[in-house]
Structures are given as C-alpha cells and as structure tokens.
Amino acid sequence: SQTIHQWPATLVQPVGSPLSLECTVEGTSNPNLYWYRQAAGRGLQLLFYSVGIGQISSEVPQNLSASRPQDRQFILSSKKLLLSDSGFYLCAWNPGTPYGYTFGSGTRLTVV
Amino acid sequence: GESVGLHLPTLSVQEGDNSIINCAYSNSASDYFIWYKQESGKGPQFIIDIRSNMDKRQGQRVTVLLNKTVKHLSLQIAATQPGDSAVYFCAERGSGNTPLVFGKGTRLSVIA
C-alpha cells in the first residue's frame, strides 16, 4: 500500500534561518506531488506541485522554493525565513487525474 | 485564488442529528469534487468524491450532492457523532490535470 511521510512534525526557526521540509511517498511510482500551506484557522493554499522529477510549478510568488530530486521525494525550502512563513505545511500526492489527494500528517512551522 | 467557497463558516449540530455542509463553486468546467475532513493538528482526510457526470453519491453515513445548474455541492452526514467534529473542506478540480482548489472550510461542532 502507498504511504506518505512528512517530517519534522513541528519546527521552530528564527527569522532569517534556512528551511528544509521533506516529503516522501512509498509504494507508488511517478506520483503527482503537492505542497500546501495552511494558516491558523484558514483554508489550504497551494504552493507548489510537481508531475515528475525536476518539474516544479509554482502557484504563489513567495519566499519558498521546491525541488523534486527523486521520483518520490519532494522538498520545500527557504534560504531566509520570514515571520509570515509560519503555518501548517502539508504535502500530498495522487496518482494523477482524476484522483483525489492523500495528505501527509503536516509540519507545524513557527518562525520567531 | 480560491474559486470554491462555503456558505457557513461554523456549524453546531446536536449528536444524532443530520448535518449538512454546503459549498459553492464558480468554475463551470470543474469535473471532479471532493470533501475532506481535517481534525485539529492533522492532515485532511478524504471523505467522499463525486464526478461531474453524477448528482449524488453515497458512502457510509455520508452523501454528497452536486447541483451543476447552480454550481453547488453539499455534504450530508447522517446521525452526527462527536467524532465527526472537525473542519470540512470541499475541493474542485478544473478539467485536465490541474491541481485541486480548496474552499475555506466549515467547522462542525457536535453537541453531546
């Protein structure tokens, strides 16, 4: 069966520090991968998605970047965190259209 | 931006009653719709989906209704239980392999 792993679960980082969040999927190949951010009490904002290795689409201009170095690995990064980067970051995958997404357990990022 | 919205941001329901959560969408080309449940501190979990060639789909204690004429989606939960307390999101996908667009969410509180 397919599983999605996301880590760390919580992270407290100072302003100006770098960020690296990792997401991996097991039990499938060539998944579509997604990064969402959720502010407290708000909806899900799509940040990046990828339909293949090295293919990244950005939905919102921001202080973040994404990479897909391997088929089942999706990384969210920042060179210098801002206070506004705080939030709940969710990774998700699906096998393609027309299937829904399976989400990871999320990373709670607090920038101080 | 988000093209899917919700009529009610919060909903309180007595245990055992039926719950109805509503969602409006604006993209008439959307061909796939999903409802997710998100408990506090966790990633969203898939509840039920429906394709645009259907107007009703039933699962265990849940029913999704799709009215394409007025671009309205609803989730009905029968015999609501305390474990149903969560935030519920609807999501839509436009045609093709475009990412899901999520609504802002409705918080369902079940009163024992």
Side-chain angles (χ1 to χ4, degrees):
Chain A
S1 62
Q2 302 91 0
T3 56
I4 180 168
H5 302 279
Q6 193 180 338
W7 67 91
T10 59
L11 192 59
V12 179
Q13 292 284 100
V15 169
S17 64
L19 173 73
S20 180
L21 302 181
E22 188 165 344
C23 173
T24 59
V25 180
E26 296 179 356
T28 188
S29 60
N30 197 31
N32 291 345
L33 295 169
Y34 308 85
W35 277 112
Y36 282 85
R37 178 170 61 196
Q38 186 176 32
R42 303 291 296 275
L44 288 84
Q45 179 188 36
L46 178 64
L47 302 176
F48 302 94
Y49 69 98
S50 172
V51 298
I53 296 175
Q55 301 179 57
I56 308 294
S57 296
S58 174
E59 291 293 300
V60 181
Q62 60 219 323
N63 186 40
L64 302 169
S65 62
S67 62
R68 185 171 177 173
Q70 301 180 41
D71 181 42
R72 293 169 291 167
Q73 183 184 33
F74 205 23
I75 297 173
L76 183 69
S77 304
S78 174
K79 292 182 179 178
K80 289 185 178 181
L81 284 168
L82 306 171
L83 288 173
S84 58
D85 291 323
S86 294
F88 192 45
Y89 288 82
L90 289 155
C91 181
W93 79 276
N94 77 333
T97 301
Y99 301 96
Y101 301 170
T102 299
F103 284 87
S105 54
T107 295
R108 174 77 58 193
L109 172 65
T110 304
V111 183
V112 296
Chain B
E2 296 173 340
S3 67
V4 181
L6 296 170
H7 295 310
L8 296 173
T10 60
L11 178 66
S12 295
V13 177
Q14 289 285 342
E15 181 179 358
D17 287 352
N18 296 336
S19 302
I20 300 176
I21 302 172
N22 296 303
C23 180
Y25 64 95
S26 59
N27 185 356
S28 58
S30 292
D31 61 0
Y32 181 62
F33 304 86
I34 309 177
W35 281 100
Y36 283 91
K37 172 186 179 183
Q38 186 179 26
E39 297 176 75
S40 181
K42 298 183 179 180
Q45 293 179 295
F46 172 89
I47 301 173
I48 192 167
D49 60 359
I50 188 168
R51 301 199 191 322
S52 59
N53 60 353
M54 304 171 67
D55 54 20
K56 180 179 180 179
R57 189 159 188 233
Q58 289 184 294
Q60 185 176 13
R61 284 201 305 119
V62 295
T63 301
V64 55
L65 299 177
L66 175 63
N67 185 330
K68 294 181 289 295
T69 301
V70 296
K71 290 183 284 189
H72 184 267
L73 188 71
S74 68
L75 176 70
Q76 300 178 0
I77 304 173
T80 311
Q81 303 170 358
D84 295 326
S85 293
V87 177
Y88 289 80
F89 292 96
C90 63
E92 63 169 329
R93 182 195 347 261
S95 58
N97 196 18
T98 55
L100 291 174
V101 175
F102 285 80
K104 291 181 172 64
T106 292
R107 181 173 299 281
L108 175 65
S109 295
V110 181
I111 303 168

